[in-house]
Amino acid sequence: MTARRTRPDVVAFDVNETLLDLAPLGAALTEQGASADALPAVFSRTLATGFAGAALGSWFPFRAAFESSVAQVTGLPAAACSAVADSFMELSPHPDVEPALRRLVDAGVRVVTLSHGAPGVAEAGLTRGGVAVLVERMLTSESIRAWKPAPQAYLWAVGVCGVDPAQTALVAAHSWDVAGARRAGLTTGFTSGRSEKVFAEVLGAPDVQGSTLVEVVDALLALPPR
């Protein structure tokens, strides 16, 4: 697959879990009287709710889907669910984020983020980790009321960056996100170092993959030039 792909000029990173560690959300669940062990179910249900809304032709922000999912999984009251959602502003980058982003910047490749999460989350987390300076743009598809993996989310980001899909790569820790980007014509990279240990083969395959973001970035940089 990589033989048909070339080294990207822009690399877009998913934010929640791919770049930012969700551990503070688990801590917030505990503080509100639930269990941190509920976080994977909450996060998965948030995505399922968003995908269902997109399939039905309706739109709502990520935070609304998240708070609804906290309530469904834990039974917490609305105020507690909102308090848990506030913890998105307390996230920090995973350890492999800084070296991965720096490799791209040093190689002259532009770095952006592309989330369907709430505006400000990427900015707060990457600033906390001291790596915001390495990122050119922080984008959320909430700006166009679309949830990834809808093609328009990726194509909108590509257009904002002023490049073609073939010049852009999307890196994520989620198979569905990678598959959506590939369908939109982007080069794709998958990291197995988060909650998904293997790529979902039913969705095809990423162009490159690695157990860390550094390995994924190195594989993207090793692609042939255009």
Side-chain angles (χ1 to χ4, degrees), residues 3-86:
R4 298 197 300 269
R5 296 296 189 176
T6 58
R7 175 172 166 160
D9 297 323
V10 177
V11 175
F13 288 86
D14 173 54
V15 176
N16 291 329
E17 192 172 27
T18 300
L19 292 182
L20 301 182
D21 187 348
L22 302 184
L25 296 172
L29 284 168
T30 300
E31 290 173 3
Q32 296 302 322
S35 170
D37 293 339
L39 179 58
V42 168
F43 193 66
S44 295
R45 185 160 302 200
T46 300
L47 296 175
T49 299
F51 298 161
L56 292 168
S58 61
W59 182 86
F60 38 80
F62 179 89
R63 177 167 178 140
F66 180 82
E67 290 188 22
S68 173
S69 298
V70 173
Q72 287 182 292
V73 173
T74 68
L76 289 173
C81 295
S82 179
V84 175
D86 287 343

Side-chain angles (χ1 to χ4, degrees), residues 62-136:
F62 179 89
R63 177 167 178 140
F66 180 82
E67 290 188 22
S68 173
S69 298
V70 173
Q72 287 182 292
V73 173
T74 68
L76 289 173
C81 295
S82 179
V84 175
D86 287 343
S87 295
F88 270 103
M89 301 304 290
E90 300 173 7
L91 307 185
S92 297
H94 290 285
D96 57 353
V97 171
E98 190 277 337
L101 301 190
R102 193 165 297 281
R103 270 173 161 77
L104 290 170
V105 172
D106 289 347
V109 177
R110 297 161 61 192
V111 176
V112 302
T113 64
L114 177 59
S115 173
H116 55 200
V121 170
E123 290 87 341
L126 297 180
T127 297
R128 181 175 294 105
V131 296
V133 67
L134 301 174
V135 180
E136 177 183 304

